[in-house]
Amino acid sequence: MRFDRLARRSVLAVLLCTLAVPAMAQSESPRRIGIVGAGNIGGTLGRLWLKAGYEVFFSSRHPEELKALIEELGPKARAGTPAEAIAFGNAVLIAVPYKAYPELGKENAAALKGKVVIDAGNAVKTRDGAIYDEVEKDGIGAVSAKYLAGARIVRAFNAANYKIFLKNAARPDPRMAVPIAGDDPKALETARTLVTDAGFDPVVVGELDAAKTFAMGSPGFGHELSAPELRAKLGVAP
């Protein structure tokens, strides 16, 4: 009888160990990010995240045009449509012309709901037309939240030209600081990780409305400062 009980306990222990393996494997799965827009900013950041070990899904309305890029970048890079990129990523970088936001948000409303979205877009008057006037009136954070309704938005990687990011990624200390702003604390933590892994120091400026302090055309735009210097520039407490 005692032997039978010991045998049953041994079998149960083996089964529990076996069941634990898939859970462990899942927790250690590779980090994945979808990029909507594979132009200058999307291409630059995608390369940096690939270098940091991410799986990156680049997307375009014409994904066949990304074939050469994917062949160059290797097995952790792939390409497809914006909808596929949004579905793929644990987080999504949006790096398309700002005038595309209303249509993008409408077409992908269900998929964007609850998704961490790194919003790198800027409104440019000559390119984006009426939506630029909306940004000037309401602030870029509010306008992004309106058109990407339901997403957990963090404004990041919009405070400089892509050439500045390319030049300063993983530079010797002090690293270049990247300002970020958002309302969702967990989304902000995801953004902090993505900024750090791309080779920069994240500086949380405030809630989403504070993104206007480093939007294109603002005093906080276009700098290559360290984190303490950027905090001083934007009046952010250490």
Side-chain angles (χ1 to χ4, degrees):
M1 294 288 291
R2 186 167 181 270
F3 176 80
D4 289 343
R5 287 197 299 272
L6 288 173
R8 284 196 297 271
R9 287 175 184 172
S10 298
V11 171
L12 180 60
V14 170
L15 286 172
L16 289 172
C17 289
T18 303
L19 290 171
V21 171
M24 182 180 295
Q26 185 177 8
S27 70
E28 296 175 357
S29 62
R31 296 161 296 175
R32 306 192 302 183
I33 185 160
I35 297 181
V36 179
N40 290 329
I41 189 67
T44 296
L45 293 172
R47 289 171 186 271
L48 295 175
W49 285 319
L50 282 166
K51 187 176 180 180
Y54 285 74
E55 291 185 33
V56 179
F57 196 115
F58 297 89
S59 71
S60 166
R61 289 189 177 276
H62 304 284
E64 67 279 1
E65 296 176 358
L66 302 178
K67 183 179 178 182
L69 174 68
I70 301 308
E71 289 176 351
E72 174 198 343
L73 295 178
K76 287 191 175 182
R78 62 191 75 185
T81 65
E84 290 172 327
I86 292 168
F88 174 87
N90 302 129
V92 176
L93 172 75
I94 294 185
V96 296
Y98 205 78
K99 64 182 178 182
Y101 278 42
E103 186 177 358
L104 176 69
K106 184 177 180 181
E107 290 180 350
N108 300 280
L112 286 170
K113 189 174 182 179
K115 182 78 71 170
V116 175
V117 167
I118 309 303
D119 176 15
N122 280 304
V124 180
K125 187 173 181 62
T126 55
R127 180 192 65 194
D128 298 319
I131 200 169
Y132 173 86
D133 298 327
E134 196 173 349
V135 166
E136 287 292 290
K137 177 177 176 289
D138 299 330
I140 198 160
V143 177
S144 288
K146 173 184 175 181
Y147 289 115
L148 307 176
R152 298 156 63 199
I153 299 170
V154 180
R155 291 281 296 167
F157 294 114
N158 68 287
N161 182 277
Y162 80 96
K163 293 179 181 178
I164 291 180
F165 292 124
L166 191 60
K167 170 187 171 185
N168 288 282
R171 75 184 188 189
D173 288 338
R175 285 182 161 194
M176 175 182 157
V178 170
I180 65 176
D183 294 337
D184 185 300
K186 290 186 177 180
L188 277 170
E189 284 305 307
T190 297
R192 286 169 65 100
T193 298
L194 287 167
V195 170
T196 301
D197 290 348
F200 305 95
D201 276 349
V203 170
V204 178
V205 177
E207 296 184 346
L208 198 54
D209 182 62
K212 61 190 176 186
T213 64
F214 55 87
M216 181 179 285
S218 74
F221 183 84
H223 301 293
E224 304 175 52
L225 305 175
S226 67
E229 291 169 336
L230 184 63
R231 289 191 186 97
K233 180 75 177 177
L234 298 178
V236 177

